[in-house]
Amino acid sequence: MATMQRLQNTGLELFYAQGYYDTSVDDILKRLDLSKGAFYYHFDSKEDYFIQIIQNLLARKIYSTLIEPIEGHDNPLSLITKCFDDAMETAVHNEMDYGCILSNFLSEFNGKNEVIMHHLNEIVTVWEVNLVTTLQKGKFNGYLDRHVDCEAAATFLMSSYFGVRTLMTSATPSAKKYRFMSQLRQYFKSIEAKHVNS
Amino acid sequence: MATMQRLQNTGLELFYAQGYYDTSVDDILKRLDLSKGAFYYHFDSKEDYFIQIIQNLLARKIYSTLIEPIEGHDNPLSLITKCFDDAMETAVHNEMDYGCILSNFLSEFNGKNEVIMHHLNEIVTVWEVNLVTTLQKGKFNGYLDRHVDCEAAATFLMSSYFGVRTLMTSATPSAKKYRFMSQLRQYFKSIEAKHVNS
DNA sequence: GTAAAAACAGACTATTTGGTTGGTATGCAA
DNA sequence: TTGCATACCAACCAAATAGTCTGTTTTTAC
């Protein structure tokens, strides 16, 4: 694998595990047995390095785990339920779970680095737009109640997911997952279409 | 005000704004026009310093904003609604909002410092216990549906609050708040007692 | 085969970090 | 006045930090 790819991969891994400010460039280079020369040949700075990781790896990761799985013409509430369930299940089985990568970075860079925050918020927006679209389509197709505010529902879903991933990092993640999913279904039941027809 | 109090107050302020690892002891001392000697006379280390801040300031802050307001014999769903609304309102009006302090620290120290994580998780547990108790009492008093899983509801509430506070740090916090509250009420409507009696 | 460009090595710098140490001013009790 | 603990100062230290610079190897182009 190319050096640049390896740098980005272990970069995301370490930044996720230890945080951006607590992970030095030397840490990453030591892990890969590379030198400063190699790093600064491929990247202008640590910040440039991280931004490329965001765009190349993080954005794709969010897309494949949270956006692509809810695309389709089925009931969006079922799709989102399964999507969240799957995403949390991998977190439960992962020895080292540090919460939602995107959410962690959001709180780490908030108020500290505007440039990076801009790139992170772009990913958040993409997720939000896709959620809203999916919900609106579901409403159009008769899966959701006519009175549902799709923007509000999307915000609520994103919030609760970010939050539960933070809570899951402490003790008993599987219990947290189970409890969360049960109340998510409860909420979904309250916004699904009332079956008055046929 | 005593030196030790001043150190703790501006410590929490800066740690919240810049993060623990990105705030040096010198930063705090410069702000207060104090010397290293003063700091290490009152505290053993930066970690000890932070733990004292957690126990003395953070714990009380969480208690006064998220725990104490929901105590009482009224409808817990109304109390929690008002509590969240108030907490988010101060965040909206605060120029510099960095999200929920507790949630931010949780994601910053997760996997990095077990000792600090233990102290933070203690506060989370206190909040959780109080939420569960409040909900159970509300169920007993006929405000909640008999089938509600109070532990699950508490987890769901904590998750969504942590998450929305993270989302509120970006653009349009007041819109995020409005949307969140509308769906919180929707969720509450689905777990409140069905008024079959009287 | 050779020259040029790409890909890397590793020593170096300037600054910042948490923490230490020896000293000093102040207040209070005997 | 003496003795001593509290509260603080400021110079100092070793380690770590992001980034630079000079060089060397490897690949590519022709």
Side-chain angles (χ1 to χ4, degrees):
Chain A
M1 187 170 41
T3 302
M4 195 161 165
Q5 298 297 322
R6 298 203 308 146
L7 277 170
Q8 294 192 21
N9 283 328
T10 59
L12 179 60
E13 194 179 324
L14 287 184
F15 286 144
Y16 173 50
Q18 309 180 23
Y20 178 83
Y21 292 106
D22 203 32
T23 303
S24 68
V25 176
D26 286 329
D27 285 344
I28 297 156
L29 294 174
K30 198 179 290 177
R31 248 287 262 272
L32 292 174
D33 219 28
L34 285 173
S35 66
K36 276 274 167 72
F39 182 87
Y40 283 96
Y41 172 76
H42 289 288
F43 305 100
D44 294 341
S45 64
K46 190 186 178 187
E47 179 176 314
D48 167 59
Y49 172 54
F50 187 71
I51 291 175
Q52 296 219 31
I53 289 179
I54 293 176
Q55 295 180 321
N56 293 332
L57 299 183
L58 182 59
R60 293 205 177 99
K61 201 156 202 153
I62 296 295
Y63 185 84
S64 65
T65 60
L66 295 175
I67 296 177
E68 195 259 330
I70 66 169
E71 287 179 344
H73 293 280
D74 293 344
N75 186 344
L77 302 185
S78 309
L79 288 173
I80 294 170
T81 301
K82 191 186 181 328
C83 171
F84 280 14
D85 195 287
D86 288 346
M88 293 169 73
E89 190 60 24
T90 68
V92 166
H93 285 110
N94 194 342
E95 270 304 293
M96 294 289 147
D97 179 38
Y98 304 103
C100 178
I101 308 184
L102 181 55
S103 161
N104 285 4
F105 286 150
L106 277 175
S107 56
E108 179 166 10
F109 290 105
N110 177 34
K112 291 157 215 162
N113 190 316
E114 274 197 48
V115 182
I116 292 183
M117 274 305 282
H118 178 260
H119 286 91
L120 292 174
N121 277 322
E122 231 167 42
I123 303 184
V124 175
T125 303
V126 172
W127 186 28
E128 186 177 18
V129 167
N130 270 273
L131 261 177
V132 171
T133 305
T134 299
L135 291 171
Q136 282 175 335
K137 200 171 61 184
K139 187 157 79 170
F140 181 79
N141 290 336
Y143 291 113
L144 270 70
D145 189 273
R146 282 171 305 163
H147 307 93
V148 172
D149 180 343
C150 292
E151 277 94 0
T155 299
F156 194 62
L157 287 172
M158 296 167 75
S159 296
S160 60
Y161 181 75
F162 275 165
V164 77
R165 295 289 287 106
T166 298
L167 279 182
M168 280 177 67
T169 57
S170 59
T172 63
S174 67
K176 292 262 159 51
K177 179 202 164 188
Y178 178 82
R179 292 172 178 172
F180 176 84
M181 288 305 299
S182 84
Q183 299 308 293
L184 181 69
R185 272 185 278 265
Q186 176 82 29
Y187 166 68
F188 277 168
K189 227 180 273 179
S190 80
I191 64 170
E192 75 182 355
K194 315 289 178 274
H195 28 48
V196 286
N197 52 338
S198 78
Chain B
M1 187 169 41
T3 302
M4 195 161 166
Q5 298 296 322
R6 298 203 308 146
L7 276 170
Q8 294 193 21
N9 283 328
T10 59
L12 178 61
E13 195 179 324
L14 288 184
F15 285 144
Y16 173 49
Q18 311 181 23
Y20 177 83
Y21 292 105
D22 204 32
T23 303
S24 67
V25 176
D26 286 329
D27 285 344
I28 298 156
L29 295 173
K30 198 179 289 176
R31 238 304 253 267
L32 292 174
D33 220 28
L34 285 173
S35 66
K36 277 275 169 72
F39 182 86
Y40 282 98
Y41 170 76
H42 289 287
F43 305 100
D44 294 341
S45 65
K46 192 187 178 187
E47 179 177 313
D48 167 59
Y49 172 52
F50 186 70
I51 291 175
Q52 295 217 32
I53 289 178
I54 293 177
Q55 295 181 322
N56 293 333
L57 299 183
L58 182 60
R60 292 206 178 99
K61 202 157 202 153
I62 296 296
Y63 185 85
S64 65
T65 59
L66 295 176
I67 296 178
E68 195 258 331
I70 66 169
E71 287 178 345
H73 294 280
D74 293 344
N75 186 344
L77 302 185
S78 310
L79 288 172
I80 294 170
T81 301
K82 192 186 180 330
C83 171
F84 279 14
D85 195 287
D86 288 346
M88 293 168 73
E89 191 58 25
T90 69
V92 165
H93 284 110
N94 195 342
E95 271 306 291
M96 295 289 146
D97 179 38
Y98 304 102
C100 179
I101 308 183
L102 182 54
S103 162
N104 285 3
F105 287 149
L106 277 176
S107 56
E108 179 166 9
F109 289 106
N110 177 33
K112 291 157 215 160
N113 190 316
E114 274 197 48
V115 181
I116 292 182
M117 275 305 282
H118 178 260
H119 286 90
L120 292 173
N121 277 321
E122 230 167 43
I123 302 183
V124 175
T125 302
V126 171
W127 187 28
E128 186 178 20
V129 168
N130 269 273
L131 262 176
V132 172
T133 304
T134 299
L135 291 171
Q136 283 175 335
K137 199 171 61 184
K139 187 157 79 170
F140 181 80
N141 290 337
Y143 291 113
L144 270 70
D145 189 273
R146 283 170 305 162
H147 307 94
V148 172
D149 180 344
C150 293
E151 277 94 0
T155 299
F156 194 62
L157 287 171
M158 295 167 75
S159 296
S160 60
Y161 181 75
F162 275 163
V164 78
R165 294 290 288 106
T166 298
L167 279 181
M168 280 177 68
T169 59
S170 59
T172 64
S174 67
K176 292 261 160 50
K177 179 203 164 186
Y178 178 81
R179 292 173 178 172
F180 176 84
M181 289 304 298
S182 84
Q183 299 307 294
L184 182 69
R185 273 185 279 264
Q186 177 82 29
Y187 166 68
F188 277 167
K189 225 180 275 180
S190 79
I191 64 171
E192 74 181 357
K194 316 289 177 271
H195 29 46
V196 286
N197 53 338
S198 81

